[in-house]
Amino acid sequence: MNLYKNLIRLLLMLFLMQAYALKAQTVSVDLSGKWKFQTDVMDFRRGSLSPRYNHVLQEEIQLPGITDDYKIGYKVPYQYIDRLTRKYEYMGPAWYQRDIEIPPAWKGKKIFMYFERTHWLSSIYVDTKEVSAIDYISVPHNHDLTNFVKPGKTHRITVCIDNRFQYKTHKWNHAHTEFTQINWNGILGEMKLMAIDPVYVEDLQVYPNIANNAIKVRLQVNNETKKQFTGKASFTINGKNYNLKNEVAVVSKDSVTFVEANIPMGKNAKLWDEFNPNVYQITAQLNTSDGKTNYQHEKATTFGLREVKQGKNHVMLNNRPIHLRGNVENAVFPKTGHVPVDDASWERIMLLMKDYGMNHLRFHSWCPPKAAFRMADKHGIYFEVEMPMWGKDAEPDEDRYNFFRREMRAILKEYGNHPSFVLYCNGNEITGNFDFIEELTSDAIKLDSRHLFSGSTARTRVKSDQYYVSQQTNKGPVKVYEGLPNTDWDRNAESDVDVPVISHESGQRCVYPNFEEIKKYANSPVEARNFEVFRDMLQKNGMLDQANDFFKASGALTVLEYKAVIEALLRSSKSAGFQLLSINDFPGQGYAPVGILDPFWDSKGLVTPEKFREFCAPTVALLRYEKSSFFNSETFVGKAEVYNFSNAAIKNAKLKWWITDESGKVLQKGNLKSQTIANDNVSPVGEFSIPLKGIKAFHKS
């Protein structure tokens, strides 16, 4: 009998332990799928005229998604010349509704509704009461519904997404413009209802210390119980062939407690950079008790063991100078009309960047979603991210200022752990009150030491600038639009100022439109109706049969110009790098087909990645010469250099030169002295002369 009782007691204990384990875990309900839906172009909510949340909505829509997916809005009859044409325009409140049962087991939990990305303001109504509103552009919206829903009850949840401009911000910024990604209305990515214990990890930040191969972990623990709790925070760090555990005691009665732990990672921990993008994941498990009730919560993040510092002329990564070979990312996503939130789409972009020898992406007046950071972490791409800030956005307007203050802090909190997040700038070509820009920049530096910060691209410098992206400095132009008929020049003197200088929006060489691209928009929310106008103009003038020749000829010239532009900036050893506008077409602000890739990031067939990497790569052979045309009575003099920002010196390098004619026949050749070529620099490797008197006929070499 005692054995039987003990067995029953043991089974009961196991059941209770299992029940506790289930209770302690974060629980979520996927909210994707069918929702009731209704537009609201009259905005009845603001007019107090029977707002939508008072009623059962009459239509249906699938989420995640955007209104354009369902041809909702004004059917656009126009052919916009200055941008791609959105097929169905909708700007205003749109309402999404679902009846949701709150599980009885969620009693005593914190309850949140989470949207990965919305556009722009999201408001939550529980039954007929507005309970939460969030207006971030760059980060997820996480609505706290705890005090407004009752476990065990079914509530009608009505969500209003309002894609109108919530503040008087510049209409071109790429976070919500019609000129690149469209000003969509909807919800994208992960959307869920979550329940967590009332003692939980609100924030988890990781600060690497490469000198000690260690990290400092900082937790923000929120306590909603109004009681003292005790317990521990346990950390698990995983990477490739790496595992480490650590823990720290936690005790507090405050509503918000910060917990720090310094964790040595040991000699086997590896640094992160573009060549070795070693990524770790840290999971913090919080186990606490108030004496009567036990609580548990987990939060995880990825990080890399890397440090960023300001050098004299370069951004320093892990105490080594890097040179940024960059592209300007303008939120150009015509396939969907919105930024992708899946890993596969962003991985494709990162791999294309690598294929074309680039290591850097500037996000012009917008900040990408988590998936972009994950894939940049994985493949070693350095990001510069910005707020949706442009032009006159720094002119006095306290409501707008407060929005930018919140947005900046939210970006640093949400994405700050990612090693790819190297640079932060407030926005593009800002004008107005630069005391406000200095405030944002200096505050950001105090908040987060893991990045370098700059006030604005291409405009007034501020005191706290740690780098500068611009067309020029006080010493002259640093931007290069096109080549010259000689190469014995650079931008060293102009770039040699008190902070690293990155050449702003270099290139910008347009290619004639490829009318074959028109059909690629068949299943997109936008169309290239401007291309149709250009095509019809050619046809009217009897020149349509030459369109492909124009495309190929202008494309060949653009490739030559980009070679000249990039090589000039590679010769500039005191330049911190460049940001090309751009490797893919920029269909905004008048439409600029400047890419060797089209707006879909597909090749135009103008140059292969292998040929592009001959002048854009971690290691490039360079040649300085005084002019491009010679008589055969002259002597060609070349000064050879090697740009080497690879991860190692080139030992015992064999250096050869040769000159060929148009057919590829070698006319003369020779060798330079074998030598070791240092990395992290541009090194002169020798000079050579070629008397041209033996060349009797005209040649293009």
Side-chain angles (χ1 to χ4, degrees):
M1 181 62 72
N2 287 335
L3 180 63
Y4 176 75
K5 286 183 177 179
N6 288 336
L7 182 60
I8 294 296
R9 190 177 294 116
L10 179 61
L11 289 171
L12 181 60
M13 288 176 63
L14 288 172
F15 174 78
L16 290 173
M17 289 173 64
Q18 184 182 31
Y20 167 73
L22 289 171
K23 177 184 176 183
Q25 297 300 317
T26 299
V27 183
S28 64
V29 174
D30 182 13
L31 296 178
S32 64
K34 188 180 294 185
W35 284 66
K36 294 184 183 300
F37 173 80
Q38 207 160 338
T39 58
D40 188 10
V41 292
M42 300 297 291
D43 194 5
F44 288 115
R45 173 185 50 170
R46 293 191 179 181
S48 301
L49 299 170
S50 190
R52 296 288 191 251
Y53 57 82
N54 278 344
H55 306 282
V56 176
L57 304 185
Q58 299 302 303
E59 300 168 20
E60 291 184 342
I61 197 169
Q62 289 286 129
L63 293 176
I66 64 174
T67 56
D68 299 71
D69 296 337
Y70 301 94
K71 300 181 179 180
I72 294 167
Y74 172 64
K75 187 175 181 179
V76 179
Y78 310 118
Q79 292 175 303
Y80 293 129
I81 301 300
D82 59 350
R83 61 188 185 273
L84 298 170
T85 301
R86 189 177 176 187
K87 296 176 184 177
Y88 289 86
E89 293 178 349
Y90 185 82
M91 186 166 72
W95 297 82
Y96 306 80
Q97 189 180 80
R98 181 184 276 187
D99 291 343
I100 300 175
E101 180 184 1
I102 310 300
W106 289 13
K107 184 178 181 180
K109 301 255 186 191
K110 291 285 292 180
I111 300 172
F112 296 93
M113 183 169 281
Y114 174 94
F115 303 140
E116 185 172 351
R117 186 152 286 214
T118 67
H119 214 235
W120 177 346
L121 173 70
S122 71
S123 305
I124 307 291
Y125 293 76
V126 176
D127 301 322
T128 59
K129 181 180 181 181
E130 182 178 9
V131 301
S132 180
I134 298 175
D135 63 4
Y136 292 129
I137 288 277
S138 307
V139 304
H141 289 194
N142 197 27
H143 296 271
D144 187 350
L145 306 185
T146 308
N147 296 327
F148 309 103
V149 294
K150 184 177 180 181
K153 181 180 177 181
T154 297
H155 291 277
R156 175 162 295 155
I157 305 296
T158 307
V159 180
C160 180
I161 304 297
D162 190 345
N163 63 334
R164 292 175 297 186
F165 282 69
Q166 302 300 308
Y167 303 94
K168 295 177 181 178
T169 53
H170 197 289
K171 301 305 183 286
W172 277 358
N173 81 68
H174 295 150
H176 46 63
T177 179
E178 293 284 10
F179 282 84
T180 51
Q181 70 166 325
I182 57 178
N183 185 22
W184 51 270
N185 188 304
I187 300 171
L188 298 177
E190 193 174 15
M191 47 187 303
K192 58 188 177 182
L193 199 65
M194 300 184 298
I196 62 176
D197 282 356
V199 181
Y200 61 98
V201 180
E202 163 62 23
D203 189 30
L204 167 60
Q205 299 293 330
V206 181
Y207 301 88
N209 181 334
I210 66 169
N212 298 327
N213 261 24
I215 57 173
K216 180 176 78 173
V217 182
R218 192 169 194 258
L219 302 181
Q220 178 183 327
V221 178
N222 284 11
N223 173 21
E224 303 285 341
T225 68
K226 299 181 180 180
K227 300 176 184 177
Q228 179 169 301
F229 65 86
T230 60
K232 64 180 180 180
S234 302
F235 304 101
T236 302
I237 303 174
N238 290 304
K240 186 177 180 181
N241 301 317
Y242 186 90
N243 181 268
L244 180 69
K245 294 184 182 296
N246 200 290
E247 64 180 43
V248 63
V250 180
V251 57
S252 180
K253 62 180 179 180
D254 297 331
S255 59
V256 177
T257 302
F258 292 97
V259 179
E260 292 189 358
N262 292 297
I263 303 176
M265 290 188 64
K267 62 181 181 180
N268 293 327
K270 297 179 180 179
L271 300 181
W272 182 95
D273 63 17
E274 64 186 282
F275 306 106
N276 299 286
N278 298 296
V279 179
Y280 295 95
Q281 175 166 297
I282 182 169
T283 302
Q285 185 180 83
L286 185 67
N287 291 284
T288 58
S289 174
D290 62 11
K292 292 183 179 180
T293 308
N294 296 324
Y295 308 107
Q296 186 185 78
H297 184 232
E298 282 189 0
K299 198 173 187 70
T301 187
T302 55
F303 72 95
L305 197 58
R306 72 102 175 104
E307 287 182 2
V308 179
K309 296 178 182 177
Q310 175 188 335
K312 174 64 173 73
N313 297 120
H314 295 88
V315 175
M316 304 293 289
L317 189 88
N318 301 335
N319 297 318
R320 284 181 52 188
I322 59 174
H323 191 264
L324 298 169
R325 302 179 304 279
N327 188 53
V328 180
E329 214 315 299
N330 299 295
V332 178
F333 304 106
K335 183 177 180 180
T336 57
H338 61 72
V339 54
V341 292
D342 64 294
D343 286 356
S345 296
W346 283 106
E347 184 160 41
R348 176 175 178 261
I349 290 173
M350 301 309 152
L351 290 173
L352 282 166
M353 291 286 294
K354 288 284 189 175
D355 279 350
Y356 286 90
M358 293 187 161
N359 63 0
H360 170 49
L361 266 177
R362 173 203 168 197
F363 290 89
H364 180 310
S365 62
W366 74 292
C367 179
K370 206 83 168 177
F373 289 92
R374 285 195 297 264
M375 293 301 99
D377 294 347
K378 179 180 178 180
H379 294 289
I381 299 292
Y382 306 128
F383 277 6
E384 179 194 68
V385 302
E386 298 175 11
M387 288 194 289
M389 193 177 197
W390 195 341
K392 297 179 180 180
D393 283 349
E395 292 186 353
D397 183 327
E398 200 60 28
D399 287 342
R400 186 172 61 212
Y401 282 5
N402 285 332
F403 165 71
F404 287 130
R405 290 176 179 122
R406 295 193 305 271
E407 192 81 0
M408 176 267 287
R409 285 164 172 78
I411 289 171
L412 296 179
K413 177 182 175 182
E414 183 69 20
Y415 308 117
N417 287 321
H418 289 279
S420 56
F421 185 177
V422 173
L423 305 175
Y424 170 91
C425 184
N426 292 305
N428 181 65
E429 299 174 3
I430 301 168
T431 60
N433 175 15
F434 274 83
D435 288 340
F436 173 61
I437 299 303
E438 167 61 17
E439 174 205 316
L440 288 174
T441 310
S442 60
D443 284 354
I445 291 171
K446 294 170 189 172
L447 285 166
D448 198 335
S449 62
R450 295 169 295 183
H451 327 285
L452 295 186
F453 296 88
S454 183
S456 168
T457 66
R459 290 298 183 266
T460 302
R461 288 277 311 277
V462 295
K463 179 181 178 181
S464 293
D465 278 346
Q466 296 177 314
Y467 72 97
Y468 187 37
V469 179
S470 188
Q471 298 105 329
Q472 63 181 29
T473 67
N474 59 344
K475 294 185 176 181
V478 293
K479 184 174 185 173
V480 181
Y481 281 117
E482 57 194 356
L484 298 174
N486 69 84
T487 64
D488 196 8
W489 60 279
D490 53 50
R491 291 288 186 243
N492 277 330
E494 297 89 342
S495 300
D496 191 15
V497 296
D498 59 317
V499 296
V501 175
I502 302 167
S503 178
H504 176 64
E505 297 180 3
S506 289
Q508 302 193 31
R509 313 311 301 175
C510 283
V511 180
Y512 203 84
N514 177 13
F515 299 130
E516 290 299 309
E517 290 177 18
I518 294 173
K519 59 190 177 186
K520 297 179 74 170
Y521 295 88
N523 298 314
S524 300
V526 293
E527 289 179 322
R529 296 181 186 175
N530 47 1
F531 276 30
E532 295 171 359
V533 172
F534 305 150
R535 180 192 60 193
D536 294 346
M537 290 172 62
L538 271 187
Q539 187 170 31
K540 182 179 179 181
N541 288 279
M543 301 172 69
L544 185 58
D545 60 328
Q546 300 179 66
N548 196 50
D549 293 336
F550 295 156
F551 163 65
K552 289 183 176 179
S554 60
L557 178 60
T558 288
V559 172
L560 287 175
E561 291 285 11
Y562 283 171
K563 181 178 187 294
V565 165
I566 290 171
E567 286 186 348
L569 292 164
L570 298 191
R571 290 194 301 271
S572 305
S573 59
K574 293 185 178 181
S575 165
F578 64 86
Q579 295 167 346
L580 195 71
L581 184 65
S582 56
I583 195 173
N584 58 320
D585 282 349
F586 173 44
Q589 292 179 254
Y591 202 97
V594 293
I596 57 170
L597 310 179
D598 67 19
F600 297 85
W601 285 79
D602 293 332
S603 174
K604 295 181 180 180
L606 303 173
V607 61
T608 65
E610 293 77 15
K611 292 297 291 183
F612 200 86
R613 288 200 303 272
E614 290 180 4
F615 55 85
C616 183
T619 304
V620 175
L622 301 168
L623 186 63
R624 291 178 180 261
Y625 51 86
E626 64 177 7
K627 60 181 182 177
S628 296
S629 298
F630 292 82
F631 294 102
N632 63 359
S633 59
E634 296 179 286
T635 297
F636 175 88
V637 177
K639 293 182 284 187
E641 297 178 342
V642 174
Y643 165 94
N644 185 21
F645 278 84
S646 70
N647 60 342
I650 306 171
K651 296 182 179 180
N652 194 29
K654 305 295 191 293
L655 299 162
K656 301 178 181 181
W657 61 263
W658 62 91
I659 183 171
T660 63
D661 62 15
E662 283 186 277
S663 69
K665 179 184 176 182
V666 176
L667 302 177
Q668 294 191 50
K669 63 181 180 179
N671 298 301
L672 297 176
K673 181 181 178 181
S674 297
Q675 57 194 277
T676 294
I677 301 170
N679 60 335
D680 306 335
N681 206 350
V682 183
S683 301
V685 293
E687 297 187 12
F688 59 93
S689 301
I690 307 174
L692 303 176
K693 60 184 178 181
I695 301 176
K696 301 301 184 183
F698 170 80
H699 285 288
K700 177 183 175 184
S701 300

